[in-house]
Amino acid sequence: MTRMDKAAAEPDVPGRRERKKAATRRALADAALRLFLERGFDQVKVAEIAEAADTALATLFVHFPGGKEALILEDGAEREAALTRAVRERPQGWSVLEALHRFLACRGPFAPDRGPEHRQKIRLVIATPALRAYARSLWTGCEEALARVIAEECGRDADEVSLRILARYVLELPDLAGARPDPRAALDLAFAHLKRGWPGI
């Protein structure tokens, strides 16, 4: 390969590498969901998931350092970035709480029906104590970032107790409202109360 050919090929290397990583993550997540649904979360070992995905155990932990729970639920960094972006990049005229309401309405148990796999996954998380606790921790782990972005957008102090309480309430909603018979109705009711309790936010 000439130097020119090599230079032309190099820009595509990261793209191929990212596609390969994404395919490995997808294979592991699919294998995990299948095994969890067949046998139950607690009855499946991480090594069995790696084997089912034809992947080394070490590779599994590179992609999912959080272990079994992380195979079903995306990582907290992605969640935090999406949450803060929803507030900062909200359409003109939307309040912070309206942006958060609409953001949550498109996630997890509140999202419009995305087919049988989505429904199975949500039921699995709600019915499995370890998964439900992990999902809750991913949301509440965003408290610092959410309080900070609310404060920035409202011109207030991020350490203000009122904003900390609001951030915590918002981040508890996926766990509290998500397990209700009608999750979306429970979410809407919760935000109606939050909007009355924190007018102007």
Side-chain angles (χ1 to χ4, degrees), residues 78-201:
E78 183 278 337
R79 192 175 303 241
E80 181 178 298
L83 185 67
T84 56
R85 190 166 57 248
V87 174
R88 287 197 178 101
E89 299 176 7
R90 68 191 186 279
Q92 187 173 4
W94 284 20
S95 68
V96 168
L97 281 174
E98 183 63 25
L100 289 170
H101 187 178
R102 302 220 183 184
F103 171 77
L104 287 179
C106 296
R107 306 278 295 209
F110 310 115
D113 191 347
R114 296 175 183 165
E117 182 178 311
H118 177 73
R119 291 194 297 273
Q120 289 177 323
K121 187 174 177 179
I122 294 301
R123 285 197 294 268
L124 176 68
V125 172
I126 291 172
T128 307
L131 285 173
R132 186 169 173 179
Y134 185 77
R136 180 176 177 270
S137 73
L138 290 176
W139 283 112
T140 57
C142 300
E143 182 182 328
E144 173 72 27
L146 181 57
R148 188 168 59 249
V149 74
I150 292 173
E152 289 170 3
E153 294 298 308
C154 298
R156 292 163 70 169
D157 187 340
D159 288 327
E160 188 178 320
V161 174
S162 175
L163 295 187
R164 291 282 176 163
I165 293 171
L166 175 58
R168 175 63 65 87
Y169 280 168
V170 168
L171 296 171
E172 290 285 3
L173 290 178
D175 183 61
L176 292 172
R180 303 297 298 172
D182 187 341
R184 182 57 191 271
L187 181 72
D188 293 345
L189 178 61
F191 268 99
H193 286 295
L194 292 177
K195 289 168 185 175
R196 283 198 294 269
W198 279 268
I201 291 183

Side-chain angles (χ1 to χ4, degrees), residues 26 37 46 51 76 146:
R26 182 73 259 168
L37 291 173
V46 177
E51 183 179 354
L146 181 57

Side-chain angles (χ1 to χ4, degrees), residues 29-97:
D30 287 347
L33 181 60
R34 185 178 70 253
L35 291 173
F36 293 159
L37 291 173
E38 287 174 0
R39 293 161 46 194
F41 179 82
D42 294 325
Q43 281 65 53
V44 178
K45 292 179 169 38
V46 177
E48 294 175 306
I49 297 168
E51 183 179 354
D54 194 23
T55 303
L57 183 58
T59 301
L60 183 151
F61 281 111
V62 166
H63 288 283
F64 297 97
K68 285 169 64 176
E69 292 84 357
L71 284 154
I72 294 297
L73 300 155
E74 75 274 10
D75 64 60
E78 183 278 337
R79 192 175 303 241
E80 181 178 298
L83 185 67
T84 56
R85 190 166 57 248
V87 174
R88 287 197 178 101
E89 299 176 7
R90 68 191 186 279
Q92 187 173 4
W94 284 20
S95 68
V96 168
L97 281 174

